Amino acid sequence: MPLPDAFLQELKVRNDLTDVVSSYVNLRRSGRNMVGLCPFHGEKTPSFNVYPENGSFYCFGCGVGGDVITFIRRIENLDYMEAVRFLADRSGLQVPENDVDRGLSSLRTKVLEINRETARFFHRQLMQPAGKAGLDYLTGRGLSLHTIKHFGLGYAPENRKTLVSYLQQKGYTANELIQANVAFQGRSGAPVDRFSARVMFPIIDLRGNVIGFSGRVLTDVKPKYLNTSETLVFHKSNGLFAMNFAKNNADGQLILAEGNMDVISLHQAGFTNAVASLGTSLTPEQAHLMAKYAKEVVICYDADAAGQKATARAIPLLRNAGLEVRVLNIPNGKDPDEYIRSYGEQGSARFRQLLTRSGNDIEYRISKVRNECNLEMPEGRVAYLTGAVDILASLDSDIERDIYAGRLAEETGVAKDSILSQVRKKRARQEKTREQKEFREFQQQAVGLKDTVNPEKYKHLRAATAEEALIAYLLRFPEVGKEVSGKLPSNKFVTSFNSRVYEALLGKLSSGKEINLTDLSADFSPDELSAIAKMIAAYANNDFSPQAVDEFIQVILQEKEKESVLHAEALRTQDIQQYLDRLKAQKK
C-alpha cells in the first residue's frame, strides 16, 4: 500500500525543498529559482537548480534531479522509505507503514542488531584464550588495549559454527544471519560462519551503527582481507572506515590512508582525522562524503606501485569533489603504521613533520614526472617539460599555472613565457576536445540516444518531445488534468516510459489535489525521477498557451496513428513473406 496522500502532503509542507537542500548546498537566488554547486558531481560553475514553485531540483551538469525525497535518497544514500523516515524525523512526523515496509524495516533493524551482537561477540572472543592469536597479532602491531577497545576490534573463531550457534540462541533465524552476511548457507543447507580465524574490524556508520565487518587472516590464506558483501545496510562504495570518529576531529582536514591498520595506528598516534576506503578504490561517493567534513585531504597511501596508482586515481576524484589535495610521501617505502612504529615514542612527532612538509597534488605529480626523466640529457629535459606542461594545462587557476611555470623556468633554464605559451596551446586543444565532446553528448541527448530511462525516444523523437512538454505542463498546471485526459487517453502515448508517467499523473490528478514530484517518488526510481525533473526544468520558463498544449496533443495523436499504420504495413509484409514461404514449401 502506498503512503497516504495526506501524509505526503504534510511531509512536503514541513520539508521545504529549498530549506532541505540549503543544509547541504550553498544556494543563491537566480530569478525565481535557486542555484548552487552540485553536491553530486564536482563543478566550479553552478549548474544545480532548485525550483521552489514546483518542489523539484535538476542539475544540468550531471542530469540528477527529483523532489525532496529523491534529494535525501541520493545525498544520504538511503532507499525510499529510509528517506521518508529521515524527513519525517526531521519534521516531527510519524510514518504510517504498510506490511511490506514494516517487513523491510524490521529486517533492516534485525540486520543492525545482528551486526551489533556479532561485533560484541568477536570482541569478547579476542579477550578470551580462544582469541589469543588475534590479540597477539594486534598488540604485536603496537596497538594498546585502549585502542583495541575504542575501535571494537575482535576475533572470529576458527570453528565455523560458533557465531551462528550464538546468534541463533539469541533468537535470530538462519535467513536473518544470511541477510546480514555474517553467515552463508553451507552444503548441508545450514548456515555457516562467514568469518573464520580472522582479526575483525567492525565498520561503523555516521550514526554509530555497525553496518559490516572487515576480517584480516593471520596466515598466508587468500584473500588477506575478507569484507562484508552488499547488504540492506552496507554499501562499500559509500562509506569510509573510521569516518564516525574522524568527522568530529577533521577541523578542515582529513587524512586518507590505504588500510584499516594504517588508520587505527594514526588514530592511536593522535591523528584522529584519518579514514580509509572500505576494501575498494576510492569512489566519487566517498570523495563527496569527505567534502562534507573537510576542505583538504592528505593522501597517505603506500609508496609501492599499487599505492602510487591509487594516489593518481584519487587526486582527480578529490579535486572534482571540490577538495584541496596534498600527498604525503613516507621515506623508504613504508606505510604509515610501519613508519610510526619504527620510531617508537618519536613516531607521532616524526609523522607530524611529514604531514607538515607534504606537498600539494600538483607538486607531487610534477615530481613524479621529474623522477622518470634524466634531466642531464636534453631529451630528458624536454620529456620533463612536456609532462609538466600537461599537468599545468589541467589546472583551472591562472595563479597556480603562473607560479608553477615560474618554478619550472628556474629549474630548467627555459623561459617562463615559453612554458606558459605551451600551456596555453595545450589548454586550447583540451578545450576544443571538451567542446566537441560536449556537443556530441548534447546531440545524442537531443535526439534521445543513450537514453536509458526512455530508450524509445530516439526512434520517436517528435512524439517523445511533445509527450515531455505535456507532462511538464500538467505538473505545472494540474488543474487542467481532466480536460487534457479527455482529449488524450494514456494509451495514445507513443513511448512506454512517458505513457507510464502520464498515466501516474492522471491517476493522482483525478483526486483533484495539487501534485508535484513527491507524489510520484514512490512509483519511480531515482533515475526515472531525474528524467521527469529534466522535463520540468526544460520547460520551467515556458509560458504554455492553450494553443501550444493542443498542438502537443495533436502531435502525439498523429505520431501514434503513424506508428499504427507502419506497424500494420510491417504485419502485411510479414504475412506476404510467410505466404511466399508456404508456396515454396508446397513446390518441393
Side-chain angles (χ1 to χ4, degrees):
M1 293 291 293
L3 291 166
D5 287 339
F7 169 78
L8 284 176
Q9 294 299 326
E10 187 65 21
L11 191 74
K12 283 189 293 185
V13 170
R14 295 199 190 187
N15 292 279
D16 177 74
L17 178 63
T18 303
D19 291 341
V20 172
V21 172
S22 293
S23 62
Y24 298 89
V25 181
N26 290 323
L27 296 174
R28 61 174 176 80
R29 182 161 295 281
S30 177
R32 292 183 298 181
N33 309 327
M34 307 294 288
V35 298
L37 294 174
C38 181
F40 304 113
H41 83 286
E43 63 177 9
K44 294 179 175 62
T45 303
S47 57
F48 181 85
N49 288 256
V50 174
Y51 303 94
E53 290 180 0
N54 55 48
S56 71
F57 72 91
Y58 185 73
C59 175
F60 289 91
C62 65
V64 168
D67 68 316
V68 68
I69 297 176
T70 316
F71 181 83
I72 290 299
R73 288 183 72 173
R74 289 187 179 275
I75 200 81
E76 294 288 346
N77 300 307
L78 305 174
D79 65 21
Y80 175 76
M81 283 306 300
E82 285 175 330
V84 168
R85 290 190 198 94
F86 181 99
L87 291 169
D89 290 342
R90 178 182 182 273
S91 54
L93 282 174
Q94 183 69 36
V95 180
E97 298 187 59
N98 58 40
D99 291 340
V100 174
D101 295 328
R102 276 193 291 271
L104 278 174
S105 177
S106 175
L107 180 57
R108 188 176 292 104
T109 300
K110 284 284 178 67
V111 169
L112 290 173
E113 289 176 359
I114 289 168
N115 286 344
R116 185 179 65 245
E117 287 292 343
T118 299
R120 290 172 175 171
F121 173 83
F122 286 152
H123 184 67
R124 285 196 298 270
Q125 291 292 311
L126 182 71
M127 298 304 174
Q128 295 174 1
K132 184 178 184 301
L135 187 60
D136 287 346
Y137 169 78
L138 293 173
T139 55
R141 294 289 297 265
L143 299 188
S144 68
L145 291 178
H146 173 77
T147 297
I148 289 169
K149 183 178 180 180
H150 179 67
F151 281 91
L153 306 184
Y155 182 74
E158 191 170 347
N159 186 324
R160 304 199 84 134
K161 288 286 186 180
T162 314
L163 176 64
V164 165
S165 176
Y166 170 79
L167 291 172
Q168 286 183 324
Q169 287 176 14
K170 288 280 185 179
Y172 298 108
T173 67
N175 180 59
E176 288 167 348
L177 302 185
I178 292 169
Q179 288 291 328
N181 202 228
V182 298
F184 62 91
Q185 191 171 38
R187 293 179 181 177
S188 66
V192 178
D193 291 3
R194 173 171 170 76
F195 300 99
S196 169
R198 290 175 181 267
V199 170
M200 300 303 298
F201 303 82
I203 300 166
I204 301 171
D205 69 10
L206 299 178
R207 299 176 182 86
N209 298 310
V210 179
I211 56 174
F213 297 90
S214 179
R216 190 197 191 284
V217 75
L218 302 179
T219 64
D220 293 330
V221 173
K222 302 293 182 183
K224 183 178 179 181
Y225 278 93
L226 181 64
N227 300 310
T228 297
S229 301
E230 299 278 311
T231 70
L232 281 172
V233 301
F234 179 65
H235 309 286
K236 66 181 181 181
S237 65
N238 295 337
L240 292 159
F241 181 74
M243 192 64 179
N244 56 310
F245 298 130
K247 68 183 176 68
N248 299 320
N249 303 297
D251 194 24
Q253 182 193 78
L254 288 169
I255 299 172
L256 178 61
E258 197 164 330
N260 299 349
M261 278 302 303
D262 289 331
V263 168
I264 294 171
S265 291
L266 285 167
H267 276 247
Q268 181 171 272
F271 303 95
T272 53
N273 58 337
V275 296
S277 52
L278 301 173
T280 181
S281 298
L282 188 71
T283 65
E285 293 85 357
Q286 291 165 339
H288 285 292
L289 175 59
M290 284 188 277
K292 290 183 185 180
Y293 299 98
K295 294 181 179 179
E296 177 184 80
V297 170
V298 181
I299 300 175
C300 187
Y301 286 164
D302 294 353
D304 58 14
Q308 297 298 302
K309 186 177 180 181
T311 298
R313 185 180 184 280
I315 288 171
L317 289 176
L318 295 169
R319 274 199 162 236
N320 287 340
L323 288 156
E324 296 175 10
V325 184
R326 289 163 61 193
V327 181
L328 188 152
N329 282 311
I330 299 178
N332 303 321
K334 295 179 179 179
D335 58 40
D337 172 43
E338 184 184 5
Y339 181 82
I340 290 171
R341 285 190 294 117
S342 68
Y343 284 100
E345 293 182 359
Q346 296 298 315
S348 178
R350 289 270 190 166
F351 186 83
R352 193 171 298 280
Q353 289 176 354
L354 291 180
L355 189 62
T356 303
R357 294 200 301 263
S358 60
N360 62 35
D361 61 302
I362 306 166
E363 293 165 345
Y364 166 79
R365 291 156 67 193
I366 290 175
S367 68
K368 201 161 182 289
V369 173
R370 183 192 299 115
N371 293 336
E372 295 170 357
C373 301
N374 181 0
L375 301 187
E376 299 298 322
M377 303 294 292
E379 57 269 27
R381 289 199 297 277
V382 170
Y384 172 43
L385 283 168
T386 301
V389 162
D390 288 343
I391 294 168
L392 299 193
S394 69
L395 305 178
D396 292 321
S397 168
D398 292 337
I399 295 174
E400 282 185 321
R401 292 196 300 271
D402 191 86
I403 289 172
Y404 288 103
R407 291 186 185 180
L408 283 170
E410 290 178 10
E411 183 182 4
T412 61
V414 175
K416 176 181 172 181
D417 287 345
S418 297
I419 295 172
L420 286 173
S421 174
Q422 291 299 310
V423 170
R424 284 191 291 271
K425 289 178 181 178
K426 181 73 175 180
R427 282 182 63 79
R429 290 195 294 270
Q430 290 175 344
E431 181 66 16
K432 185 177 180 180
T433 301
R434 184 187 63 78
E435 288 177 353
Q436 289 173 341
K437 181 181 177 182
E438 287 182 353
F439 182 69
R440 285 195 300 271
E441 290 175 351
F442 173 77
Q443 283 182 314
Q444 291 173 346
Q445 288 178 3
V447 299
L449 285 172
K450 297 184 179 180
D451 190 329
T452 56
V453 172
N454 188 0
E456 298 171 300
K457 181 176 179 178
Y458 83 98
K459 292 181 180 178
H460 308 284
L461 185 60
R462 185 167 181 255
T465 303
E467 291 168 354
E468 290 173 2
L470 191 62
I471 288 168
Y473 172 70
L474 287 176
L475 279 163
R476 189 167 166 185
F477 304 105
E479 64 273 10
V480 301
K482 187 174 182 181
E483 178 186 347
V484 171
S485 64
K487 297 178 180 178
L488 183 70
S490 61
N491 62 4
K492 294 298 183 181
F493 264 54
V494 177
T495 67
S496 301
F497 172 70
N498 287 343
S499 175
R500 185 157 67 91
V501 176
Y502 182 65
E503 195 169 348
L505 275 174
L506 294 184
K508 300 288 184 182
L509 291 170
S510 63
S511 63
K513 297 177 181 177
E514 288 190 14
I515 187 170
N516 64 22
L517 279 184
T518 302
D519 300 282
L520 304 176
S521 57
D523 303 318
F524 294 89
S525 72
D527 286 343
E528 290 173 335
L529 285 166
S530 290
I532 302 171
K534 183 180 180 180
M535 300 177 199
I536 297 172
Y539 295 95
N541 299 318
N542 284 47
D543 292 324
F544 292 98
S545 66
Q547 182 182 357
V549 174
D550 285 337
E551 287 177 3
F552 298 151
I553 294 172
Q554 288 306 312
V555 166
I556 295 168
L557 291 172
Q558 290 167 10
E559 291 298 307
K560 185 66 175 179
E561 184 178 0
K562 186 191 299 182
E563 183 195 35
S564 300
V565 170
L566 290 172
H567 183 61
E569 288 178 354
L571 286 177
R572 286 197 293 273
T573 301
Q574 186 179 14
D575 291 341
I576 293 168
Q577 186 60 50
Q578 288 176 349
Y579 173 71
L580 293 174
D581 290 342
R582 285 198 299 273
L583 285 179
K584 288 180 182 178
Q586 290 170 1
K587 290 180 180 179
K588 290 182 179 178

